[in-house]
Amino acid sequence: MTTTEPHSGGHPGDEAGVTTGFLARKLGVSPTTLRSWDRRYGLGPAARVEGRHRRWSPDDVAMMQDMCRMTAAGVPPAEAARVARRRAVPEGTGTPLGSAVEPGPPGESAAGQASSPERPSPAGRPPDGGRVSEGHGGAEGSGSGEVLEGTGTGRSGGGLPLGSVWQECRGLARAAVRLDAVAVQEQLTRAVTTYGLITAWEEILAPALHAVGRKWESAGDQYVEVEHLLSWHVSATLRHCYVRSSQAPGRSGDALPVVLACMPGELHTLPLEALSAVLAERGLPVLMLGGAVPAEALVATVRRIGSTAVVLWSQSRSTASLALARHLAATRWGVRGARTHTAVHVCGPGWGAAKHETQLRRPRSLRDAVTALAGDGLTPRAGAVP
């Protein structure tokens, strides 16, 4: 099935391309960004007709998608533009798409452009830096007029509320907004491989998910497809990490597992999926019950397996039941004369009222939760990641 752009002009050949507005929505960037890339880097339509709106051919669109993927991966826009133009050579022409003369940023010579590498390399990012404020790019102007706009009609000015985040987070969000599943998965895999699960979750994955979620709440159902796409790929990535680690050699089935469960009525499972992946990577046994676990099932599970620790996630106050958490913390299990209890960790923004509950532990981040659980007497397998 193909999607065609409505044409308002009626000029011959209009059907050969899409408008700048349509392309901007498809890519998840603003029309201003497309015009800026055309002016600064020569990334414009290959064919232009004087006195008419610009039309982007399928080859032009493919070139711009390549440009977006590279900038989302952290490649400087000027370098990404040069590579995108070289790759976008129509068959049989030998001539790159875009302008006849490849422009660069002010002060950059043609000789300097010609000597650039064919394959770009995104700049490395130290774990304690590299944040980019929304709408404020670096010297290359990657954020000049570039907002994360929606993919459907009627969403002008609908930028995602990212704030000051890592460039990788902005790249992931851009890929999700333009519904580029391949780029989303590439960004997720690269983030986890480069920074590790905890840093990738706290600095890249979670901020992107929060921004999409806030936009969905404020814009009705307009961003539901973006939220679903990003959530699905984040879940797939985290579960892949869990499965890979849980099948590693040397894993013992004798240790008592950590029980991870969302409170009754709570369906947000991704934070617990991240925790399960990190614990599995460190060789700690996990029993993941998932979303909306009934209270009776939670209590029965703790008593049945004798868990050393249980983590309860609540996204909102409406699902945070202090009564259930207290009951689990007071539950005793084991043989008579040697009964013990389970350490209860309440996690998530819904547990604000638990700050004075001395019998409950309240980690504030994924890193805090891993540290707290490691102190509950859990035994990692040999050879696990420390």
Side-chain angles (χ1 to χ4, degrees), residues 182-197:
V182 173
V184 167
Q185 191 56 59
E186 289 176 350
Q187 295 283 335
L188 290 170
T189 302
R190 184 182 299 112
V192 171
T193 302
T194 303
Y195 300 111
L197 280 166

Side-chain angles (χ1 to χ4, degrees), residues 306-322:
S307 175
T308 303
V310 59
V311 178
L312 305 175
W313 179 266
S314 179
Q315 186 73 18
S316 64
R317 292 183 180 181
S318 62
T319 61
S321 171
L322 281 175

Side-chain angles (χ1 to χ4, degrees), residues 7-355:
H7 302 291
S8 58
H11 297 286
D14 274 1
E15 68 278 6
V18 298
T19 65
T20 297
F22 178 86
L23 179 59
R25 291 190 294 272
K26 179 180 179 67
L27 297 177
V29 301
S30 70
T32 302
T33 295
L34 294 181
R35 287 189 286 268
S36 175
W37 285 350
D38 185 11
R39 183 178 66 256
R40 303 184 67 179
Y41 310 124
L43 290 181
R48 303 169 188 257
V49 179
E50 192 69 28
R52 290 174 49 191
H53 292 295
R54 298 186 299 175
R55 295 284 173 174
W56 302 76
S57 71
D59 287 335
D60 297 327
V61 172
M63 177 179 66
M64 300 309 294
Q65 288 174 324
D66 197 18
M67 173 71 171
C68 285
R69 289 192 181 100
M70 285 187 284
T71 56
V75 179
E79 184 180 356
R82 287 193 290 270
V83 175
R85 281 174 45 79
R86 291 191 183 104
R87 289 175 178 172
V89 179
E91 185 176 357
T93 66
T95 303
L97 294 176
S99 304
V101 178
E102 182 180 349
E108 183 176 24
S109 66
Q113 297 174 41
S115 63
S116 298
E118 185 71 21
R119 303 183 68 178
S121 300
R125 184 174 312 285
D128 59 346
R131 294 185 181 275
V132 179
S133 297
E134 185 175 7
H136 295 81
E140 293 290 351
S142 60
S144 177
E146 187 168 356
V147 295
L148 300 180
E149 294 190 348
T151 55
T153 59
R155 301 186 189 181
S156 60
L160 295 182
L162 281 168
S164 178
V165 295
W166 284 18
Q167 178 62 37
E168 288 87 346
C169 177
R170 291 176 62 82
L172 176 61
R174 288 192 186 101
V177 167
R178 65 176 184 266
L179 300 181
D180 189 339
V182 173
V184 167
Q185 191 56 59
E186 289 176 350
Q187 295 283 335
L188 290 170
T189 302
R190 184 182 299 112
V192 171
T193 302
T194 303
Y195 300 111
L197 280 166
I198 294 181
T199 299
W201 171 261
E202 293 184 344
E203 300 290 353
I204 301 172
L205 279 62
L209 286 165
H210 292 163
V212 172
R214 289 195 299 270
K215 190 62 181 179
W216 181 13
E217 292 175 357
S218 65
D221 288 336
Q222 288 187 338
Y223 275 76
V224 63
E225 73 281 11
V226 177
E227 195 274 342
H228 283 197
L229 171 73
L230 182 57
S231 296
W232 190 91
H233 280 276
V234 169
S235 179
T237 301
L238 296 173
R239 294 187 186 201
H240 173 75
C241 293
Y242 168 80
V243 170
R244 180 185 59 197
S245 297
S246 64
Q247 294 176 343
R251 187 174 185 86
S252 172
D254 299 331
L256 298 178
V258 179
V259 175
L260 309 181
C262 289
M263 293 294 288
E266 180 58 68
L267 298 175
H268 294 82
T269 64
L270 288 179
L272 290 186
E273 291 179 38
L275 179 57
S276 70
V278 175
L279 294 177
E281 182 182 64
R282 301 192 175 199
L284 299 176
V286 177
L287 181 62
M288 175 66 162
L289 299 184
V293 182
E296 298 81 2
L298 266 174
V299 175
T301 299
V302 170
R303 287 177 172 168
R304 179 179 177 183
I305 69 172
S307 175
T308 303
V310 59
V311 178
L312 305 175
W313 179 266
S314 179
Q315 186 73 18
S316 64
R317 292 183 180 181
S318 62
T319 61
S321 171
L322 281 175
L324 176 56
R326 291 171 186 149
H327 180 70
L328 288 171
T331 299
R332 297 293 186 268
W333 51 268
V335 298
R336 182 171 298 180
R339 291 185 178 274
T340 185
H341 65 90
T342 297
V344 177
H345 302 258
V346 292
C347 302
W351 291 106
K355 59 183 177 180

